[in-house]
Amino acid sequence: MEKKQMEYMQFKERLIEALQEYFLGRGEVYYDKVKKMNDTDKDAVIVRLIGTAVQAMIYPEDMYKGYKDTGDFEKCVKEVIRACEEVPFVDECHIPKTWESAKGRLHMRVINKNWNKQALKRMPYREYLDLAIVFYVFIKEEGGLMATQPVSRECMKLWGVDVKSLWETSRKNLEEEVFQIETMGAVIENMLTEMKDSEDAGMFWNDMEGKEIEGIGKVYVVTNTCKKYGARAILRKDLLQRLAKEQGGSFYILPCSVHEILILKEDGMVTAENLRNMVYEINHCSGTVEPEECLSDSVYYYNKDEDRVEVAA
């Protein structure tokens, strides 16, 4: 008889119990709610071992997805234990203490201003349309993991800089970042290929290449090479100018998530309000974008003649 899988709440409780039993006398294991972007909360299990200043933060929701695929609870527990006992990915020596050591690694992210009011009380930011530009320092990348540090008002005070300095420095770094532009069909083909379904990927590509998507014209996806927080491409004027030249005119910008934007040439086939409704559906009804990764419900428009981005709807 097939063993019935646990529901999420039972899985979370058993995970904490198993970790508390394993680390008994060696550290502290407890449950917490962690604040994420867009003022959302996410379940977290914190493991703090004795003798180290670094704590491991495990997200049970992410572990539960793996458990649902395999049904192997013990494997999930072993993976968490291994992650907690490995040498810390980042320690204090990696965190920049001075402006000189930080400025070469300073990057910006675009987030929703109205959805992050609490977070923005702690972070210096620059307004951009209905968005906010916040700043992060790249710390370390290893084994597919990337560590960054948000720039707080305390960091800014310690470094002796202001928001203008953060903006100008991160903008220079942004100009050196590499972005990629692909059709939606090519992106989906790559996703299928990564799933090792090359035959279906080829069939999909043959069917989609050169075609318009859902009657609204060809859609392009813009992100950076690491596919992390690539929506900041909206701030690259040279990139937008190049896109306008290639497409032969102005275009709409759809905030797919904080990681990428979609480009759709204005051709009279669809209204900004129609696109706004589509963006809202993707953000709040489809389940394809995590709540903390949504960027905006607005639709933006790059005006080629005036060389500027504006809110279209």
Side-chain angles (χ1 to χ4, degrees):
M1 183 176 178
E2 186 177 348
K3 187 176 180 181
K4 183 180 179 181
Q5 287 194 344
M6 291 180 279
E7 296 295 328
Y8 171 67
M9 292 303 295
Q10 184 185 4
F11 172 86
K12 182 177 71 173
E13 291 172 2
R14 281 199 57 193
L15 179 64
I16 295 175
E17 290 172 358
L19 294 175
Q20 287 175 334
E21 181 180 354
Y22 183 85
F23 289 110
L24 182 63
R26 299 171 52 202
E28 184 181 13
V29 179
Y30 58 95
Y31 165 79
D32 200 1
K33 283 277 190 182
V34 177
K35 280 289 182 185
K36 306 291 284 185
M37 283 292 104
N38 297 335
D39 288 341
T40 57
D41 294 324
K42 192 166 185 175
D43 289 345
V45 176
I46 312 299
V47 179
R48 189 191 302 273
L49 300 181
I50 296 172
T52 176
V54 179
Q55 64 183 24
M57 186 178 297
I58 311 299
Y59 296 117
E61 290 176 30
D62 298 338
M63 300 300 300
Y64 185 65
K65 292 175 183 176
Y67 165 74
K68 284 177 67 178
D69 290 337
T70 65
D72 192 339
F73 176 74
E74 296 302 323
K75 181 180 178 182
C76 292
V77 174
K78 288 177 181 177
E79 287 177 355
V80 173
I81 290 172
R82 184 176 67 251
C84 294
E85 292 185 327
E86 285 179 348
V87 176
F89 174 56
V90 173
D91 56 38
E92 292 188 10
C93 72
H94 295 108
I95 300 175
K97 303 296 192 300
T98 66
W99 175 238
E100 283 301 313
S101 62
K103 64 182 183 180
R105 296 185 276 165
L106 188 69
H107 296 280
M108 61 176 75
R109 296 178 185 174
V110 285
I111 62 174
N112 190 284
K113 183 173 62 177
N114 290 327
W115 297 346
N116 291 281
K117 291 180 179 179
Q118 292 302 314
L120 291 175
K121 290 179 180 179
R122 306 184 299 271
M123 304 172 72
Y125 67 95
R126 180 185 176 98
E127 293 188 8
Y128 179 76
L129 302 176
D130 57 351
L131 305 174
I133 301 169
V134 294
F135 308 96
Y136 283 74
V137 176
F138 172 80
I139 303 296
K140 184 183 177 186
E141 184 174 15
E142 182 180 293
L145 298 175
M146 181 183 295
T148 60
Q149 175 191 0
V151 177
S152 63
R153 298 187 184 278
E154 288 74 19
C155 287
M156 188 170 64
K157 185 177 180 181
L158 175 66
W159 295 338
V161 297
D162 55 15
V163 176
K164 182 180 178 182
S165 298
L166 294 173
W167 161 247
E168 291 178 347
T169 301
S170 60
R171 185 173 60 177
K172 288 180 181 177
N173 294 337
L174 177 65
E175 291 171 356
E176 299 176 4
E177 188 169 9
V178 178
F179 288 87
Q180 57 190 36
I181 305 167
E182 297 180 289
T183 64
M184 179 70 81
V187 170
I188 298 176
E189 182 203 17
N190 290 336
M191 291 170 58
L192 290 172
T193 302
E194 288 173 3
M195 290 188 290
K196 306 186 186 305
D197 201 346
S198 57
E199 184 177 348
D200 283 353
M203 291 174 61
F204 180 89
W205 176 248
N206 291 334
D207 184 54
M208 290 295 298
E209 189 172 22
K211 291 188 178 181
E212 296 173 350
I213 297 176
E214 296 183 359
I216 63 172
K218 185 172 285 188
V219 179
Y220 293 86
V221 182
V222 183
T223 187
N224 49 14
T225 53
C226 67
K227 296 180 173 58
K228 294 289 185 182
Y229 302 98
R232 54 181 173 242
I234 197 173
L235 303 171
R236 279 279 298 267
K237 279 292 187 71
D238 62 318
L239 184 64
L240 301 181
Q241 291 165 359
R242 193 182 90 195
L243 280 164
K245 184 177 180 180
E246 292 175 354
Q247 302 221 16
S250 303
F251 53 81
Y252 291 109
I253 302 173
L254 280 58
C256 187
S257 75
V258 295
H259 302 303
E260 59 272 306
I261 55 176
L262 303 183
I263 302 298
L264 174 65
K265 181 182 176 181
E266 181 194 20
D267 55 11
M269 297 177 66
V270 67
T271 67
E273 194 60 39
N274 291 148
L275 293 174
R276 179 182 170 85
N277 292 338
M278 184 179 76
V279 170
Y280 183 89
E281 288 288 325
I282 292 172
N283 283 342
H284 303 287
C285 305
S286 69
T288 57
V289 182
E290 294 293 334
E292 68 268 23
E293 295 184 345
C294 292
L295 177 56
S296 175
D297 289 338
S298 299
V299 170
Y300 305 92
Y301 180 76
Y302 175 71
N303 188 312
K304 176 179 177 293
D305 296 329
E306 298 182 14
D307 187 27
R308 69 187 181 95
V309 177
E310 57 197 45
V311 178

